[in-house]
Amino acid sequence: MSGGARRGSRMSSRWLWVLGLVLRQIWFRAALFSVFSVALALLAAFIAPYIPYEISTKIGSEAVDNILTILASSMLAVTTFSLTAMVSVFAGVNSTITPRATQLLVEDSTAQNALSTFLGAFLFAIVGICALSTGIYGTSGRVILFVGTIIVIAVIVVTLLRWIGHLSSFGRVGSTIDRLETVIRAATDRSGYSLSTAPVTSAPSPHKHPVLADRIGYVTHLDLGALEDLAGRLDCAIDVHVLPGTFVTTGRAIASLDRADSRTEAEIRAAFTFDHHRQFDHDPRLGLIVLSEIASRALSPAVNDPGTAIAVLGSGVRVMAAFLEEGRSKPAFDAKVRLPSLFVGDLFDDLVRPIARDGAALVEVAIKLQRSLGELADMAPWVRGLLAYRAADAMARSEQAMTFEADLECVRAAYLAHWTGPSIPARH
């Protein structure tokens, strides 16, 4: 790929991201299916002159009209049922899993395809019935309408079978955890952030010109291509101080560079997208937070489901192992656009701390947590010190929360199997 093509692709990163957001909206897919269905129903009138008369006489208008009438009535009921089922799933996820996971279910492609197909089939039948009643098809047009109806019925059958199978897992805890794991891995691959074992400061150098934010909200997207082109034109480095997922207030430095005027500052601000809510696309920490929220909800006295917390820890180990493997060696986006590193300790805290707090009194959760941290340390020795600190913290919480000595001894054994450096806090 040429340099110009590569720059063009990077410059369009924001528009590609916005396009991706639009494509995942349920209204877009429903509108697209509806337009296609209406166009298919009306296409028969234009193709009618090319259909041989012998074929046209074999298909009566009543046959097509009866099929379309059945299709219209049944698809309206199926669409209503599907929409009701989706709303019920969203409400259940809000109350039993975590409200932050609802965003993933709203963007579920199978659910969107099902609802869009049923709505499109309903509109196809309505438009076909109206067109038949006006006589615009003629004898030949009914053939195309009949063929189109058969195609629509075939699509409905396939979609309905997939939708029935999908409903068995849609909105379930295990399915939501798997979906979150996929989203976190995608955000990790997409972000390209490097990792640091020391806390990262976001303050600009006093010798640099800071670019201050002009709005309040979460950073949801960073157009690195635009910043790279700007740095090339100015022939200077641009230091970025906030990453997607950071909450920014007016007056906070979001970037800095050697020199800048009002126009340059405006271009830099335009590379940052702010919103009232965080997005999963470029924010892997949000996925880790939602994972821990699922575990915390499961560990609440009202739910009392330690198995879900154990499943979350298993998913967290897979995600963090991939993150640590990929993020350690990832360089900045460009030599002239320098991104801050992610502090690995923050990632561990996002995932582990809520589970260590809420599961401290449950022996099975505490043991799984110690083993998970130990397994991560074996796979990534360069963060062993950070993991040891979290393991000691979890052990201290168990020392405080557990009342049965045998359970505590099991947790202590799991701790000592991996950690010999950090001392176990005394029980008191």
Side-chain angles (χ1 to χ4, degrees):
M1 182 183 291
S2 66
R6 184 169 57 252
R7 285 194 299 271
S9 174
R10 290 175 178 175
M11 286 185 66
S12 63
S13 63
R14 164 174 288 180
W15 298 112
L16 291 175
W17 175 69
V18 172
L19 178 61
L21 291 180
V22 172
L23 292 177
R24 296 201 301 265
Q25 299 299 312
I26 188 170
W27 63 263
F28 178 83
R29 196 164 303 198
L32 190 64
F33 275 65
S34 300
V35 170
F36 175 77
S37 299
V38 172
L40 179 63
L42 296 177
L43 186 63
F46 297 95
I47 304 181
Y50 304 99
I51 302 301
Y53 177 77
E54 293 79 9
I55 300 178
S56 304
T57 55
K58 296 180 180 180
I59 300 178
S61 61
E62 292 184 359
V64 181
D65 186 50
N66 291 336
I67 296 175
L68 290 177
T69 301
I70 297 172
L71 200 61
S73 59
S74 59
M75 283 302 100
L76 181 60
V78 172
T79 302
T80 304
F81 162 77
S82 300
L83 189 58
T84 303
M86 290 175 63
V87 172
S88 299
V89 169
F90 298 158
V93 170
N94 258 329
S95 60
T96 61
I97 301 181
T98 172
R100 260 65 59 189
T102 307
Q103 177 182 343
L104 297 177
L105 300 184
V106 171
E107 297 174 354
D108 181 77
S109 60
T110 302
Q112 290 187 3
N113 285 338
L115 190 62
S116 302
T117 299
F118 301 149
L119 179 60
F122 170 73
L123 291 176
F124 170 83
I126 292 297
V127 172
I129 292 173
C130 294
L132 278 175
S133 63
T134 59
I136 66 172
Y137 285 132
T139 305
S140 299
R142 291 196 301 268
V143 177
I144 303 300
L145 185 62
F146 181 79
V147 173
T149 303
I150 298 301
I151 294 175
V152 169
I153 291 175
V155 172
I156 290 172
V157 171
V158 173
T159 304
L160 189 58
L161 290 175
R162 290 187 61 193
W163 180 227
I164 292 173
H166 191 64
L167 281 177
S168 63
S169 61
F170 187 51
R172 301 297 187 268
V173 177
S175 175
T176 305
I177 293 174
D178 293 340
R179 191 183 302 273
L180 267 172
E181 184 177 339
T182 302
V183 168
I184 297 171
R185 292 291 299 271
T188 302
D189 297 337
R190 195 180 295 118
S191 62
Y193 305 142
S194 59
L195 299 179
S196 171
T197 56
V200 179
T201 175
S202 59
S205 169
H207 306 291
K208 295 275 190 175
H209 179 85
V211 178
L212 306 181
D214 59 353
R215 65 188 68 186
I216 301 175
Y218 289 99
V219 179
T220 55
H221 183 261
L222 180 59
D223 194 343
L224 294 172
L227 290 177
E228 183 194 31
D229 288 344
L230 179 60
R233 294 202 313 268
L234 298 176
D235 193 25
C236 70
I238 298 178
D239 293 322
V240 177
H241 301 300
V242 294
L243 293 174
T246 305
F247 185 76
V248 175
T249 56
T250 54
R252 177 173 178 177
I254 57 176
S256 62
L257 65 168
D258 293 333
R259 61 188 183 279
D261 52 24
S262 58
R263 180 178 178 182
T264 301
E265 291 185 5
E267 288 188 63
I268 292 177
R269 291 192 189 98
F272 292 81
T273 303
F274 299 91
D275 199 353
H276 294 168
H277 307 284
R278 298 171 74 169
Q279 299 282 345
F280 288 98
D281 293 327
H282 301 88
D283 186 6
R285 288 190 62 182
L286 175 60
L288 294 175
I289 291 171
V290 176
L291 269 180
S292 67
E293 287 181 349
I294 293 176
S296 292
R297 181 70 65 89
L299 293 172
S300 65
V303 179
N304 191 23
D305 180 20
T308 293
I310 292 174
V312 166
L313 286 171
S315 179
V317 169
R318 289 190 293 269
V319 168
M320 288 304 304
F323 208 158
L324 295 173
E325 180 182 357
E326 298 173 7
R328 185 184 184 186
S329 59
K330 282 185 176 179
F333 183 77
D334 186 81
K336 291 187 175 181
V337 179
R338 296 192 286 260
L339 299 177
S341 299
L342 278 175
F343 177 42
V344 184
D346 290 339
L347 300 176
F348 293 147
D349 288 339
D350 291 337
L351 176 65
V352 172
R353 182 183 291 166
I355 302 176
R357 178 195 64 212
D358 298 326
L362 299 176
V363 59
E364 59 268 40
V365 176
I367 291 175
K368 177 63 176 179
L369 179 57
Q370 293 294 338
R371 290 176 177 172
S372 298
L373 293 174
E375 289 160 355
L376 283 174
D378 293 339
M379 289 184 286
W382 60 285
V383 295
R384 186 174 184 84
L386 295 173
L387 289 165
Y389 176 81
R390 272 75 190 174
D393 176 80
M395 188 67 235
R397 294 176 186 271
S398 293
E399 290 273 1
Q400 292 286 338
M402 286 189 182
T403 58
F404 189 56
E405 188 64 30
D407 287 349
L408 187 58
E409 288 300 325
C410 293
V411 179
R412 187 180 288 113
Y415 174 81
L416 292 175
H418 295 281
W419 314 106
T420 57
S423 60
I424 302 177
R427 186 180 183 187
H428 55 273

